[in-house]
Amino acid sequence: MAGIELLNFGFEFVEVFAFIVLATVGLAVIFGMMGIINLAHGEFILVGAYATTFAFAAGLPLPLAMLTGVVITAVFGLVLERFIIRHLYGRLLDSMVVTWGISLVMIQLVRIAFGNSAPGVGIPFGQLPVVDGPVYYLVLATIAVGVLGGLYALFAWTDFGVRARATMQDEETARSMGVDTDRMYMATFGIGSGLAGFAGALYAPVMTITPEYGTGFLVEAFVAVVVGGSSVIVGTILASGFLGSVNAAFTNLAGTFMGQVAMLVAAIVAIRLMPDGITGLLADWRENRGESR
Amino acid sequence: MLEITNLHTSYGKTPILRDVDVRVDEGEIVGIMGKNGVGKTTLVKAVIGLLEADEGTIRFDGDEVTDDPADSRARRGIGYIPQGRDVFPELTVEENLRMGETINESNGDLQYEAVYDYFPVLEERREQDAGTMSGGQQQMLAIGRALIGNPDLLLLDEPSEGVQPSIVQDVTRDLERVNEELGTTILFVEQNLHVVQNLAERCYAIDKGTIVDELGSDRLESREAVTEYLAV
Ligand SMILES: Nc1ncnc2c1ncn2[C@@H]1O[C@H](COP(=O)(O)OP(=O)(O)OP(=O)(O)O)[C@@H](O)[C@H]1O
Ligand SMILES: [Mg+2]
């Protein structure tokens, strides 16, 4: 009996953790690397989901349909960066107002173009034995871990990653070392957009697709970015782990609604105790240790 | 190698440099000395391309680069060492050096061996965050980073600033070795008497945004001739 409960909690955790990670990474990359708060994040996710369902309805196999969703969202992000976002670097408030405007316009455009619903995509892979839930959630969790690992490798080890971090720390010096920093920003924004599109694509089989589809991801994404702080990957992992376990525990005890409430309360407490997020706190610790040595 | 003709630059509407002419030939070590705030950094930034020229031309390796952005000038072969040694504080020493690999792109050979030979401390501290090193070590890193891509021209903005006097002597000697062994042309701005007298083969004096004198090796030996242009 206790074993089953533990399994249920574990499954719940895996489901929520994957959702928070996938909902967050695109936003976290754009915020952490470029200091832009993208309030149209939900609509980037929406683009990914719509592109996926329509590609699927047109007869593409699901994985390819999802890839289409990612690519279309990334291209969409690149175009937006080129013509609008590029003028907003270093202007936090302006960037929020503009991206919020983009978000409103897009929701209406999608409603006008496609109406209030889109063709559905069935959940692949069937049900799990023992715990009550689809196998697909385990696939999502594996993908979430893969995305985190991939991002870590990209930013920690590749030339692109080193240049991106250098550009973030000191754009002028990076440029004078031969880095085309405009292109770095564009590429980073494209990656963040593509990741948002990926979230939309991956959850297309699980959630009903309407013009408000993106808003279903926003709470988790923004809460996790704030709780995580500015360190993209570590912040996302720690915040998703923390918020995911609170959510899963309370969902198991008292249902989905209480799970959400508990998660938000935990987030508020966490932000109160750690204004710069978990990674901000870690950075302070490291600094203090350095000083006392 | 580098030819600046009739250069004018400004910050917004405030003119800073007026009618600057500077010429550096291949293999030379040339200094530009001047007091606080006379426009040394402005000139260096105009050469690397972080500041636009209002008027005049800059030619590098025979090509006009006046309108090229800084990244393209770096890739052509200018290794720049900013004032206050702007290393990337949260990158490791090795990652900082890696950032220099793009300099002088067409020249494929990287100079890790030479850089670690000049500055062994950089090899010992490869894994350390650059921001946690001492001022002198950061200056060595900034020089090493600019050298990694084997630039044709090394451009330094006050390499002695904020560095202990004993280390200043080391850095001066290291730069001489770089010039001799790697054949790198060097242009630096300074207000440190020791560096000007010991490093420069030839030195311009800048005051109020324009070049006011040019000193050959004979006049550089005279302390009076040099201090006239420095705040000593
Ligand atoms: N970003 C800026 N905006 C406006 N004016 C500036 C700016 N940077 C420098 N100046 C002005 O331009 C003039 C030249 O400055 P510059 O930094 O080139 O001098 P410098 O010779 O390098 O001085 P230092 O020896 O202190 O490094 C100074 O009067 C300075 O006040
Ligand atoms: Mg200066």
Side-chain angles (χ1 to χ4, degrees), chain B residues 40-42 83 157-158 189:
Chain B
K40 299 186 296 298
T41 296
T42 310
Q83 181 165 17
D157 193 346
E158 294 203 45
V189 301

Side-chain angles (χ1 to χ4, degrees), chain A:
Chain A
M1 188 61 212
I4 274 289
E5 228 138 76
L6 208 62
L7 260 182
N8 274 332
F9 168 76
F11 182 73
E12 192 78 39
F13 173 76
V14 162
E15 178 192 335
V16 180
F17 178 78
F19 182 75
I20 301 178
V21 167
L22 293 168
T24 305
V25 277
L27 187 70
V29 164
I30 290 175
F31 174 63
M33 303 306 283
M34 318 171 67
I36 292 266
I37 297 185
N38 179 17
L39 289 181
H41 180 63
E43 284 59 53
F44 282 51
I45 293 176
L46 180 69
V47 170
Y50 268 83
T52 302
T53 46
F54 282 107
F56 184 70
L60 281 188
L62 188 56
L64 273 187
M66 287 179 168
L67 184 66
T68 311
V70 173
V71 170
I72 289 188
T73 318
V75 170
F76 174 75
L78 288 177
V79 172
L80 223 54
E81 198 278 342
R82 205 60 270 187
F83 292 104
I84 301 178
I85 308 285
R86 142 156 330 187
H87 307 288
L88 301 170
Y89 292 134
R91 295 161 56 189
L92 189 68
L93 281 180
D94 294 347
S95 73
M96 290 173 75
V97 172
V98 171
T99 52
W100 186 53
I102 292 173
S103 141
L104 295 181
V105 170
M106 283 178 62
I107 293 179
Q108 290 311 324
L109 281 181
V110 167
R111 180 167 289 135
I112 292 164
F114 304 112
N116 273 326
S117 64
V121 179
I123 301 186
F125 303 125
Q127 287 291 110
L128 278 170
V130 194
V131 286
D132 175 32
V135 176
Y136 186 55
Y137 284 168
L138 297 184
V139 175
L140 289 176
T142 313
I143 293 174
V145 172
V147 165
L148 288 171
L151 277 180
Y152 182 82
L154 177 70
F155 283 113
W157 297 330
T158 66
D159 281 343
F160 170 83
V162 174
R163 285 176 199 154
R165 283 184 290 137
T167 304
M168 180 183 66
Q169 286 172 38
D170 184 344
E171 186 195 343
E172 190 168 271
T173 305
R175 182 171 279 280
S176 64
M177 295 294 121
V179 177
D180 184 342
T181 51
D182 288 346
R183 242 178 46 200
M184 294 307 300
Y185 284 133
M186 208 168 128
T188 310
F189 199 83
I191 290 171
S193 310
L195 288 170
F198 197 29
L202 286 171
Y203 284 91
V206 186
M207 291 160 65
T208 325
I209 299 175
T210 67
E212 277 88 23
Y213 177 82
T215 49
F217 295 78
L218 286 188
V219 173
E220 276 81 359
F222 279 93
V223 166
V225 165
V226 174
V227 170
S230 63
S231 168
V232 177
I233 294 150
V234 179
T236 304
I237 294 173
L238 294 178
S240 306
F242 168 64
L243 298 169
S245 30
V246 172
N247 188 326
F250 279 83
T251 302
N252 247 1
L253 290 174
T256 320
F257 177 71
M258 288 313 289
Q260 282 282 16
V261 172
M263 184 180 79
L264 285 181
V265 171
I268 291 167
V269 172
I271 294 163
R272 185 77 187 75
L273 296 178
M274 307 176 284
D276 295 325
I278 301 177
T279 52
L281 189 73
L282 289 181
D284 282 353
W285 272 351
R286 268 173 54 190
E287 230 160 71
N288 288 340
R289 248 190 24 214
E291 268 163 28
S292 61
R293 240 186 275 136

Side-chain angles (χ1 to χ4, degrees), chain B residues 24 28 32 61 67 77 93 102 106 124 141 179 184 189 225 230:
Chain B
V24 183
E28 270 194 307
I32 298 175
D61 261 350
D67 296 321
V93 168
T102 355
S106 63
E124 288 155 24
L141 176 56
N179 171 258
T184 316
V189 301
L230 299 175

Side-chain angles (χ1 to χ4, degrees), chain B residues 4 11 26 44 53 61 74 82 88 134 145 150-151 168 186 200 213:
Chain B
I4 304 169
Y11 287 112
E26 191 162 347
V44 169
D61 261 350
F88 301 105
S134 74
R145 180 180 63 185
N150 200 10
V168 169
I186 296 180
D213 201 356

